[in-house]
Amino acid sequence: MRCPETDNQELLVAYGAGRLGSRETAKLEAHLAECEACRVACAAQATVWKALDGWEAEPLASDFDARLLARIASEEQPGWRRRWREWLRAVAARPAVPAFAALFMVVAGFWLLPRGAPPEPRADAALVREIEIIEATLDDLEMVKELSGGDRGEGARSL
Amino acid sequence: MKTGVQQTVVGVAALEHDAQLMLRVREGDQASFGLLLEKYRAPVVHFLYRMVQNQAVAEELAQEVFLRVYRSRTSYEPAARFTTWLFRIATHLALNWLRDGKHERLQERLDEEGEGQTVRRDVPDRRPSAEQILLKRVRRDEIRAAIAALPAKQRAAVLMHKYQEMDYAQIAGALGCSESAVKSLLFRAYETLRARLRRLA
Ligand SMILES: [Zn+2]
């Protein structure tokens, strides 16, 4: 076989990532037994891989979805807040939906989906908390819009 | 003509689950958007975090990614895999952010916002020893610095390859370049990392 260290890096990287088939693995390991340069490269690649494995990402802010939904909602229909507040007085959500789906129905789906019977009231602390976050985010967004003369999100539509 | 129709039918049937969800979002089904968000929120934020190495900025950029996904729902066509498309948007935003001076302004704003505002974070309840924490931190700082030192495109390629387990074709799609260009980016990046992280062995 060609020496992967000089001629076929792809093989060494795939081996280090454990993404090599069993036949290719066997072939490469046979080569490794005879090739010092490749053994060194493989060991170094394994070190890189393990190091990267150990780099954990940070946990997400718990209001990520609420903030996103508030932004979507504020784009969807500018006049929706009043109606939403009215609806909020009867704080409710459809039962047995994951918190996110419930939230989404509340925030984005409220005025878009055909309105059927009012949903059953449900006491759900997490949902209430999320709704508070959405309220706060909306206040922030409105404040930012006022401060910046409504030019927030410039370039955002350019993709 | 008949084969054309059949091919289309087969094509739709073979569509990956995510693309199907996105098509439903296009039809106005917001719950499907919720499912996509649920599935990709963390991967996208983590990718962006490792690109820009600032959690607040990463989350801000991720918000923009999902906002764009939602905005483009009406024009969405499943030409590429959903993840390729998603990470193309994420990569585009990260590279832009790293390129122009805009990030300093955003950084300032986030710093201001961060003051006097506590955000509840879901921290897992694990208590390693002080020594473990220190050792881990030293290693993590080494890794962070090594990744940060890579040119931005190499960095993006490595992160998608390593953490998203994307293949060369997907990474090429996300970066908007050829597969051979991706290979060259990746191998140069890994070569640099091997030399730099050798002492962590
Ligand atoms: Zn060799």
Side-chain angles (χ1 to χ4, degrees), chain A:
Chain A
M1 97 192 280
R2 293 178 297 165
C3 179
E5 207 280 322
T6 50
D7 207 21
N8 193 2
Q9 291 270 320
E10 191 172 345
L11 214 55
L12 292 185
V13 169
Y15 180 68
R19 294 179 203 168
L20 218 52
S22 55
R23 267 182 60 194
E24 280 173 305
T25 302
K27 261 166 77 181
L28 177 63
E29 282 174 352
H31 175 82
L32 287 178
E34 295 167 0
C35 180
E36 168 79 15
C38 279
R39 275 202 301 276
V40 171
C42 270
Q45 182 66 22
T47 302
V48 168
W49 208 253
K50 216 178 127 213
L52 293 178
D53 274 333
W55 184 15
E56 285 168 26
E58 308 266 325
L60 258 68
S62 57
D63 63 349
F64 185 88
D65 287 2
R67 271 160 48 212
L68 177 64
L69 293 180
R71 286 175 72 174
I72 288 176
S74 72
E75 284 190 4
E76 291 278 321
Q77 190 168 325
W80 68 283
R81 277 195 76 176
R82 184 183 44 79
R83 282 163 60 197
W84 188 57
R85 275 185 196 282
E86 283 166 13
W87 182 88
L88 263 185
R89 282 191 202 114
V91 172
R94 290 175 207 192
V97 237
F100 178 83
L103 256 181
F104 204 94
M105 273 192 293
V106 171
V107 179
F110 173 57
W111 61 89
L112 293 171
L113 297 169
R115 223 111 30 105
E120 291 295 310
R122 187 177 69 145
D124 183 328
L127 188 66
V128 171
R129 161 88 183 126
E130 297 273 280
I131 287 170
E132 281 168 11
I133 294 168
I134 292 172
E135 284 266 298
T137 307
L138 285 166
D139 288 336
D140 291 349
L141 280 174
E142 271 185 9
M143 197 182 71
V144 170
K145 262 185 202 153
E146 278 163 22
L147 289 175
S148 60
D151 69 347
R152 190 180 144 82
E154 83 280 345
R157 275 158 228 270
S158 63
L159 187 77

Side-chain angles (χ1 to χ4, degrees), chain B residues 20-34:
Chain B
Q20 286 181 21
L21 286 176
M22 196 56 206
L23 287 176
R24 274 189 228 133
V25 178
R26 191 176 75 181
E27 305 307 317
D29 175 19
Q30 286 130 358
S32 293
F33 181 74

Side-chain angles (χ1 to χ4, degrees), chain A residues 9 19 45 49 51-53 55 57-62 64-65 71 75-76 100 104 112 156 159, chain B residues 30 34 41 46 50 55 59 63-64 68 70-71 92 120-121 143 161-163 168 183 190 194:
Chain A
Q9 291 270 320
R19 294 179 203 168
Q45 182 66 22
W49 208 253
L52 293 178
D53 274 333
W55 184 15
E58 308 266 325
L60 258 68
S62 57
F64 185 88
D65 287 2
R71 286 175 72 174
E75 284 190 4
E76 291 278 321
F100 178 83
F104 204 94
L112 293 171
L159 187 77
Chain B
Q30 286 130 358
R41 182 202 302 116
H46 292 171
R50 291 181 172 117
Q55 183 67 14
E59 288 189 17
Q63 293 257 323
E64 196 62 41
R68 286 186 189 203
Y70 190 76
R71 278 183 200 141
H92 175 85
R120 182 166 53 99
R121 282 177 190 278
I143 298 155
H161 182 251
K162 172 70 184 92
Y163 297 104
Y168 301 129
K183 287 182 188 175
Y190 281 127
R194 285 203 292 269

